[in-house]
Amino acid sequence: MATIRVAIETAAKRCFATAIDWPGWSRAGKSEDEARARLADYARRYARAVAGTGHPLPDRLTFRAVERVGGGAGTEFGVPSSALRDDTDALGDAELERLAAILAAAWSAFDEAARRAEGVELRRGPRGGGRDLPKIVNHVLEAEEAYLVQLGHRR
């Protein structure tokens, strides 16, 4: 059984559980327990996304919280937004290649999901709100750019 290192980011009304060594695998809940449960629920879906990378997610998992950070307005809005201790550590070549392969696979899975959703009427929120497909894709790209800016990238 593989142990997945998890960071817990907690704000007043929302909590995120984020798999530290697996980019893009983060789920929210109203509590830590709910966020962890949702992270576990998404394991198979995440495993499918990274399957072709040569770095498969193990079949049997356990989760261990190794870091806890306070959240803020971003957390409440719905995005993990607090820096973790490891975020500024230099990566060795092998780990950099592993993370880059996983990140590329995650983007490919997103691109494929967007292609499959073209022409499909997407379910709206409980009050009829929500975004259409182009707005969803644009929202994700804008969020990614915001993360890159936080890391010092300039457009």
Side-chain angles (χ1 to χ4, degrees):
M1 184 172 302
T3 298
I4 303 297
R5 297 183 324 135
V6 174
I8 303 297
E9 180 177 333
T10 305
K13 297 179 183 175
R14 190 178 305 233
C15 181
F16 276 92
T18 300
I20 294 171
D21 301 311
W22 297 91
W25 189 16
S26 184
R27 303 310 301 168
K30 291 180 181 178
S31 67
E32 179 178 337
D33 288 343
E34 187 176 302
R36 282 177 180 245
R38 287 185 173 168
L39 189 70
D41 288 346
Y42 271 74
R44 279 197 186 124
R45 186 174 181 182
Y46 187 84
R48 283 193 308 271
V50 302
T53 64
H55 308 285
L57 189 65
D59 291 332
R60 297 186 55 200
L61 305 172
T62 185
F63 298 95
R64 181 171 53 96
V66 297
E67 186 169 356
R68 294 178 187 283
V69 294
T75 314
E76 297 289 21
F77 179 71
V79 293
S81 51
S82 295
L84 305 177
R85 285 188 306 262
D86 292 354
D87 286 349
T88 57
D89 290 350
L91 298 171
D93 290 344
E95 182 64 1
L96 181 60
E97 287 178 25
R98 185 186 83 80
L99 293 174
I102 291 169
L103 187 59
W107 277 111
S108 292
F110 175 77
D111 291 343
E112 179 58 28
R115 274 193 294 279
R116 285 193 320 266
E118 286 177 7
V120 174
E121 185 172 340
L122 301 176
R123 183 182 59 176
R124 296 294 181 156
R127 292 177 297 281
R131 296 181 173 99
D132 60 14
L133 181 61
K135 288 181 180 177
I136 291 170
V137 170
N138 192 50
H139 174 75
V140 170
L141 296 175
E142 287 175 351
E144 184 69 8
E145 184 174 357
Y147 282 126
L148 290 171
V149 168
Q150 287 178 340
L151 294 171
H153 175 75
R154 296 290 175 237
R155 195 172 200 179

